[in-house]
Amino acid sequence: DTGVSQDPRHKITKRGQNVTFRCDPISEHNRLYWYRQTLGQGPEFLTYFQNEAQLEKSRLLSDRFSAERPKGSFSTLEIQRTEQGDSAMYLCASSRNGRVGSYEQYFGPGTRLTVT
Amino acid sequence: DAKTTQPNSMESNEEEPVHLPCNHSTISGTDYIHWYRQLPSQGPEYVIHGLTSNVNNRMASLAIAEDRKSSTLILHRATLRDAAVYYCILRVADRGSTLGRLYFGRGTQLTVWP
């Protein structure tokens, strides 16, 4: 257990439905990241928060995706009008503040989304 | 992003040392070299990182070439629990739009035989 929790662990939804995932980072970590991982591939970066500010978004984050971190603590990732191509593992990670390259990221167990 | 190149797979026997190579010929002076691993059905797990000097921790050792264009993750005595996908990642320190992200690539699948 890394101290990063994600909820739910599994989600099955029908195409067109909206889903929301939650991530609770390690409490003293200012930085929070979302990644997506499909079968056989490494995780792909989606977005990054420093406290409550969303500082970077990947091109993978289409208009149907939105992420928030309202009080600089937990974060939510919402996918609207889900498509079968959204089926993946969604991973959350957090890290301490400071020089970015020098600190490791701690990952949660992920939320596995299946869109039928 | 500076990219890394790793073998797709490697094998080892239990209790033997394992050397996992990584090439990063386009590395820049401020890029840290990070290694993560991912066990089946789990999120990635931090292993070790370094900038210029070799590094040791309780999990592994990281040997960095003098020109920094390659590195090697060393597991001193492989166990069955070390079977995982190992990712070599360059982390950009304090630079523009790549701030914070990890670029994973496909990693090396390590198989450990009993």
Side-chain angles (χ1 to χ4, degrees):
Chain A
D1 184 0
T2 63
V4 179
S5 61
Q6 292 187 245
D7 184 67
R9 295 290 306 276
H10 303 273
K11 179 71 177 179
I12 300 174
T13 190
K14 293 185 178 179
R15 188 178 54 185
Q17 298 294 305
N18 298 344
V19 294
T20 300
F21 310 140
R22 176 180 170 121
C23 170
D24 286 90
I26 295 171
S27 59
E28 62 266 27
H29 286 183
N30 299 88
R31 294 177 168 157
L32 186 145
Y33 311 81
W34 285 97
Y35 295 83
R36 182 175 72 183
Q37 185 174 26
T38 53
L39 201 61
Q41 304 295 320
E44 297 172 293
F45 170 81
L46 291 179
T47 190
Y48 156 59
F49 289 85
Q50 170 103 6
N51 298 312
E52 65 275 8
Q54 189 173 19
L55 296 186
E56 188 177 359
K57 291 193 290 186
S58 162
R59 291 190 302 274
L60 295 174
L61 214 64
S62 74
D63 291 344
R64 296 185 297 105
F65 288 70
S66 63
E68 294 183 342
R69 193 181 182 198
K71 297 183 180 179
S73 56
F74 73 92
S75 175
T76 58
L77 178 68
E78 181 183 16
I79 309 174
Q80 297 182 327
R81 304 181 303 281
T82 52
E83 302 173 356
Q84 287 186 324
D86 297 331
S87 296
M89 175 76 82
Y90 290 85
L91 293 159
C92 174
S94 69
S95 74
R96 289 182 287 171
N97 210 0
R99 287 197 70 203
V100 166
S102 64
Y103 287 109
E104 62 270 29
Q105 293 184 9
Y106 293 85
F107 282 80
T111 295
R112 181 164 296 283
L113 173 66
T114 302
V115 181
T116 62
Chain B
D1 291 320
K3 297 296 193 292
T4 62
T5 303
Q6 300 177 252
N8 290 334
S9 62
M10 292 186 65
E11 298 183 355
S12 175
N13 294 318
E14 204 174 6
E15 298 190 4
E16 289 185 353
V18 181
H19 291 234
L20 297 166
C22 180
N23 288 321
H24 28 78
S25 59
T26 59
I27 192 171
S28 67
T30 55
D31 290 345
Y32 283 79
I33 302 160
H34 281 240
W35 284 82
Y36 284 73
R37 71 181 186 181
Q38 189 171 23
L39 280 65
S41 302
Q42 295 187 23
E45 174 188 27
Y46 168 79
V47 177
I48 200 167
H49 77 277
L51 184 61
T52 56
S53 302
N54 295 344
V55 183
N56 299 296
N57 66 20
R58 63 175 180 82
M59 290 182 68
S61 296
L62 176 60
I64 301 173
E66 194 170 338
D67 63 5
R68 300 204 334 122
K69 293 184 184 300
S70 66
S71 61
T72 302
L73 178 70
I74 303 166
L75 306 179
H76 296 285
R77 291 184 64 196
T79 70
L80 296 178
R81 291 178 297 174
D82 291 324
V85 178
Y86 286 78
Y87 297 99
C88 170
I89 299 162
L90 299 184
R91 290 219 52 204
V92 178
D94 300 326
R95 192 193 314 165
S97 64
T98 58
L99 188 71
R101 68 187 298 174
L102 291 174
Y103 176 77
F104 275 84
R106 299 188 70 171
T108 297
Q109 174 69 61
L110 175 65
T111 300
V112 180
W113 300 102

